Amino acid sequence: MNSKLLGSILIIAGSSIGGGMLAMPITSAGVGFVGATILLFIIWFAMCYTALLMVRIYDFNSSKDGFDTLTRKYAGFTVNRIAGLSLMFLIYGLTAAYMSGGGTILKTNIDLLFNTNLDDRLAVLVFSIVFSTIVIVGTKWVDWFTRLLFGAKLVFLVLLVVLMTPLIKWANLLHMPLSQGLVIMSIPAIFTSFGFHGSIPSIVDYLDGNKKMLKRAFILGSLLPLVIYLVWQIAILGSLDQTVFMQILQQHSEVKGLLLSIRELSDSAYIETLFSFFAAAALGTSFLGVSLGLYDYYKDLFKEKKANVIKPLSAVCTFFPPLMFALFYPEGFILALGYAAIAGVVLALVIPIILYLKAMKFHNIKISILQYFIICFILILSVLIVYAQLLVVSRG
């Protein structure tokens, strides 16, 4: 396999397999394995399909064109601004979640290893500075660090699954949703588990617009997280009793609740340590993948400015806002992912469809009835995800 293609697949998969993966067992604890699996397949298909629509649009455009250029060309000022704001809110939400979660994991491990009490904000700051620097240096560095972290992540995941396999009980996997409301409320976090669309222009540019490689990259890059998520759900939901898991999550929310659940129900120091390492690697790859997309968006937006200003200005606009959120609202891990879901619907599902319809009309190309049917299905799914997130907020 071409080295750049492999790197692109891992960037796409790495963008997805991160904070959303940690949030998934938390939000789907009351849904059960069967329900979560059905939702995963539906959302994967929609996200992969719209990515391929974007690849088709690049048939008529330069591989250097970003979201700002494409939306201005095909959809006009209003959609251009909506797309830009959606990208910013999506990546800010995801990046803030990864900074917050990454800081939590870093602090937990340092405190455990050195018997200290590291300041929460310092841990978030250290995590953010290290990974932001990699993104600023360039896509090639993101590629290589993603390969390194992704390889480590897979090793940790395999070891986790092996150690947790004896704990898996078939009865735990057959638990049905505790309520219809829990199914709906789990959708936003599962949706953001495939949050790679912000990096599409970066991947197109990195692969020099090669359409065959791009299609393989987005299909395999999104399929790999789906397979890993299914294995992950089997390991976590299969080994943790649904009722006990829900009780712990009610007392200790978010990542800390998941860590405590694994500690108490597995009764294994090895599993807890491996999970911490896996979580750190997962958050790292996601941070690199999603923030790269916003960083490149800002470089495209500021391309008319002086050359020596573009990178520093793009870096500040990309990393400063989510860092402030992570520093001053550290408990907002799931909340940040949830709000990212609304912006993600616009950026990953609605905008690609609008651009595709506009581009095909612009270039006088007919769209098949099957494509119209799939597009309608995805738009209905978009409305459902937004409704689900509003429901989460109203019950918050």
Side-chain angles (χ1 to χ4, degrees), residues 67-353:
F67 272 115
D68 183 65
T69 301
L70 293 177
T71 50
R72 275 192 287 110
K73 176 179 178 179
Y74 290 117
F77 178 82
T78 302
V79 175
N80 171 262
R81 288 295 174 262
I82 292 173
L85 289 172
S86 298
L87 179 65
M88 282 185 273
F89 278 117
L90 172 66
I91 307 303
Y92 283 155
L94 291 173
T95 306
Y98 299 154
M99 286 176 171
S100 177
T104 299
I105 298 297
L106 182 63
K107 171 183 166 55
T108 301
N109 283 288
I110 290 178
D111 289 350
L112 184 66
L113 290 173
F114 300 104
N115 194 27
T116 59
N117 186 22
L118 184 68
D119 182 74
D120 293 337
R121 291 179 181 177
L122 179 59
V124 169
L125 192 61
V126 170
F127 178 88
S128 303
I129 289 174
V130 170
F131 285 91
S132 298
T133 301
I134 296 170
V135 173
I136 294 168
V137 172
T139 305
K140 188 174 181 180
W141 280 81
V142 173
D143 179 355
W144 284 107
F145 271 92
T146 298
R147 294 185 195 205
L148 178 65
L149 289 173
F150 201 93
K153 182 164 60 178
L154 287 180
V155 171
F156 295 143
L157 179 61
V158 170
L159 292 174
L160 266 175
V161 171
V162 169
L163 289 174
M164 294 184 75
T165 296
L167 304 173
I168 296 173
K169 297 178 181 178
W170 182 249
N172 290 340
L173 295 175
L174 295 179
H175 283 305
M176 299 306 292
L178 295 178
S179 72
Q180 185 179 0
L182 288 175
V183 175
I184 295 174
M185 293 175 72
S186 70
I187 293 174
I190 293 178
F191 170 72
T192 53
S193 298
F194 293 96
F196 62 86
H197 283 62
S199 59
I200 287 178
S202 304
I203 298 299
V204 172
D205 183 26
Y206 191 51
L207 293 178
D208 302 314
N210 186 308
K211 301 305 180 296
K212 184 177 179 181
M213 290 173 64
L214 284 168
K215 288 178 181 179
R216 291 179 66 188
F218 287 115
I219 291 172
L220 296 176
S222 61
L223 193 59
L224 182 57
L226 176 64
V227 173
I228 291 176
Y229 291 156
L230 292 174
V231 174
W232 180 244
Q233 292 282 57
I234 290 172
I236 299 295
L237 298 182
S239 59
L240 303 178
D241 179 82
Q242 187 182 49
T243 305
V244 179
F245 192 16
M246 289 293 289
Q247 288 174 349
I248 294 175
L249 290 177
Q250 287 174 1
Q251 296 172 1
H252 305 279
S253 62
E254 304 183 359
V255 177
K256 185 176 180 181
L258 181 57
L259 286 168
L260 288 173
S261 299
I262 290 174
R263 177 188 300 174
E264 292 185 21
L265 299 177
S266 68
D267 194 29
S268 170
Y270 293 110
I271 290 177
E272 182 188 351
T273 302
L274 278 172
F275 180 80
S276 294
F277 287 146
F278 168 78
L283 288 166
T285 55
S286 274
F287 183 98
L288 293 174
V290 300
S291 58
L292 173 66
L294 185 59
Y295 180 64
D296 282 346
Y297 170 80
Y298 276 121
K299 287 200 296 183
D300 182 45
L301 188 65
F302 299 142
K303 63 185 176 184
E304 303 298 331
K305 296 186 178 293
K306 293 181 180 179
N308 63 336
V309 173
I310 295 175
K311 279 193 172 185
L313 185 59
S314 299
V316 171
C317 290
T318 300
F319 298 110
F320 186 74
L323 178 59
M324 292 300 99
F325 182 91
L327 287 175
F328 297 104
Y329 192 57
E331 298 300 319
F333 183 73
I334 299 297
L335 180 65
L337 284 177
Y339 279 115
I342 295 179
V345 166
V346 177
L347 180 72
L349 299 181
V350 178
I351 294 297
I353 286 174

